[in-house]
Amino acid sequence: MAKGGEFTAIDLFCGAGGLSEGFRQSGFHILAGNDFDEWAGATFAKTHSEAKFLGGPIQDITTGALLKAAGLKKGQLDCLIGGPPCQAFSVYNHQRGMHDDRSQLFKEYLRMVEELEPNWVVMENVTGITSAGQGAAVKAILSGLEKLGYTVDKQILRAEEYGVPQERRRIVFIGNKLGKPILFPEATHGEGLTPFTTIFDAIGDLPELENGEDNGGTGYLTAPETDYQKLLRGNSAEVLNHSAPRLAPINMERMKHIPQGGSWRDIPFELLPDGMKRARRCDHTKRYGRMSWSGLSCTILTKCDLHWGAYLHPEQDRSITVREAARIQSFPDWFCFEGPRTEQYVQVGNAVPPLLGRKIGEAVLRADAIDVRDNSQNDLALAS
């Protein structure tokens, strides 16, 4: 544990730092991060000034370098967090499977666990990992951690049930070597709970833009109108990463026909792309989709492209901006993404929503506080 009683964490495959930002909000002190992506690393370094960033493939990173960067010795780290690249397991990758080199990177995470000996481990990935290779990766992760002396469990979490305005599923592995129970965060939003956070809750206060417009950093459209807007704005005075991609005239014409909650089915047949003219009405359900103010977003991907999903603004005829995508991912407004705009979208789409990360971090801290010698406290925690 860090000086001052802070719990410590190192983030592997950190990307821009969505998971570590969530853990930081829950009370962890982020000491170091690693990723091979140059622009994501630049964002992590800028937004995590208290942490050391080690760039490059994880295969080239030694635990000695990580411990030196973190200022720790083996066995002193509280929690190792991270999400090995998920493209090999994504349902959007139709060739997904264990043959993909990226599907083996979880073994590097296990190597780091073995050599760092953290008290807690948290790994996340897409739910497609449960079916790729008949679940071989999941079995290997569970057995690998157990062989290293960790009690471990897994659970699929729905981001929208924790206040994120987006339909997003992630499988989360949590383990510890302390004999503590494994706790997962309880849902806070949904039926019988707080209503889901909507698209309006998320982006309704952001400045209006024309197709292709870029005003640089600019002020807000309105005062914060929802608790979610207040939370993510904090003390920010300007809106960063808020510029609209320029869409072709034909797409501008198509958008005129798409209402809120609509999609490619609302576009006149003669305006459809040739490939979609041959599509069945049940195909491509999210293509050319327009968001609804009162609904949730589809999963934010590494491209908020109208050919990929429902990424049209509810009212304005344009695709959502990086900042709007970041809001839907629950990044705070001060969190500035570095690099070309295409790379910024990649960073946002690859990230764990910080609000989900925060809930996971809080669950770890709650479990860590349990005195395993007190069976009544242990039973109460597991029942909660």
Side-chain angles (χ1 to χ4, degrees):
M1 190 178 294
K3 293 179 179 179
E6 290 182 302
F7 280 78
T8 58
I10 290 175
D11 191 357
L12 302 180
F13 312 100
C14 63
L19 184 58
S20 56
E21 170 59 21
F23 265 66
R24 179 164 58 185
Q25 291 177 14
S26 74
F28 279 83
H29 184 60
I30 310 302
L31 301 180
N34 160 254
D35 202 277
F36 77 98
D37 185 288
E38 178 182 356
W39 287 117
T43 297
F44 181 91
K46 185 172 182 177
T47 56
H48 294 71
S49 58
E50 77 285 10
K52 298 288 187 181
F53 176 74
L54 285 73
I58 193 169
Q59 297 92 329
D60 298 338
I61 302 297
T62 66
T63 50
L66 274 176
L67 289 171
K68 181 178 180 181
L72 298 176
K73 295 180 180 179
K74 183 176 181 178
Q76 290 184 331
L77 178 66
D78 288 307
C79 191
L80 183 66
I81 65 177
C86 60
Q87 292 89 342
F89 305 117
S90 173
V91 295
Y92 296 97
N93 175 8
H94 299 295
Q95 286 78 44
R96 70 185 187 275
M98 296 299 288
H99 60 276
D100 191 316
D101 289 342
R102 294 171 297 182
S103 69
Q104 304 299 316
L105 288 174
F106 70 86
K107 295 179 181 178
E108 291 296 321
Y109 182 94
L110 294 177
R111 171 177 71 89
M112 290 295 187
V113 172
E114 181 177 13
E115 297 178 8
L116 290 173
E117 295 185 1
N119 289 327
W120 286 86
V121 293
V122 173
M123 182 194 293
E124 66 81 32
N125 217 291
V126 294
T127 56
I129 195 174
T130 62
S131 57
Q134 290 75 52
V138 171
K139 296 174 184 175
I141 290 167
L142 294 174
S143 64
L145 289 171
E146 289 169 355
K147 288 177 181 177
L148 294 175
Y150 290 82
T151 300
V152 61
D153 199 1
K154 69 182 189 311
Q155 188 168 310
I156 292 176
L157 302 181
R158 299 168 179 255
E160 62 268 31
E161 293 183 343
Y162 304 96
V164 180
Q166 173 192 177
E167 296 176 346
R168 194 180 189 94
R169 311 286 183 268
R170 283 296 185 272
I171 185 170
V172 177
F173 302 83
I174 300 178
N176 73 79
K177 62 174 185 177
L178 306 174
K180 306 278 187 175
I182 305 298
L183 303 181
F184 288 90
E186 294 292 324
T188 56
H189 292 65
E191 186 176 353
L193 303 169
T194 301
F196 288 129
T197 305
T198 67
I199 295 298
F200 178 81
D201 294 332
I203 66 172
D205 62 326
L206 296 179
E208 296 180 358
L209 293 173
E210 298 290 337
N211 176 49
E213 183 178 1
D214 183 358
N215 288 331
T218 185
Y220 292 90
L221 177 66
T222 67
E225 300 183 63
T226 68
D227 290 339
Y228 189 83
Q229 292 171 14
K230 293 176 183 177
L231 174 67
L232 297 195
R233 280 170 68 156
N235 297 321
S236 297
E238 64 176 351
V239 184
L240 306 172
N241 303 119
H242 189 55
S243 61
R246 182 170 298 281
L247 301 178
I250 183 61
N251 283 326
M252 296 299 294
E253 185 62 30
R254 290 164 179 158
M255 281 189 287
K256 294 177 182 179
H257 302 277
I258 306 172
Q260 284 191 42
S263 69
W264 69 280
R265 296 176 183 79
D266 298 291
I267 301 173
F269 182 81
E270 63 273 14
L271 291 178
L272 286 172
D274 288 341
M276 295 184 71
K277 288 179 180 178
R278 299 187 295 272
R280 297 177 299 169
R281 303 299 289 180
C282 60
D283 288 344
H284 310 296
T285 54
K286 297 292 186 179
R287 282 193 174 187
Y288 284 87
R290 188 183 290 276
M291 295 177 170
S292 172
W293 281 128
S294 60
L296 292 167
S297 170
C298 62
T299 301
I300 296 296
L301 302 176
T302 54
K303 285 184 180 181
C304 290
D305 189 300
L306 72 176
H307 295 94
W308 281 38
Y311 301 119
L312 295 180
H313 190 278
E315 292 182 354
Q316 301 161 40
D317 284 339
R318 60 174 178 81
S319 299
I320 60 171
T321 67
V322 170
R323 178 50 52 193
E324 287 164 338
R327 277 281 190 95
I328 293 168
Q329 279 276 61
S330 75
F331 277 98
D333 285 1
W334 60 262
F335 208 102
C336 183
F337 297 89
E338 299 294 303
R341 186 167 59 198
T342 54
E343 295 298 326
Q344 294 170 16
Y345 279 114
V346 170
Q347 293 170 48
V348 174
N350 277 336
V352 175
L355 194 53
L356 176 59
R358 175 177 179 172
K359 297 299 183 181
I360 297 170
E362 290 172 351
V364 170
L365 293 178
R366 190 167 68 252
D368 190 85
I370 294 172
D371 185 348
V372 293
R373 297 168 298 179
D374 185 345
N375 290 330
S376 61
Q377 186 182 176
N378 195 7
D379 292 342
L380 180 63
L382 289 172
S384 65

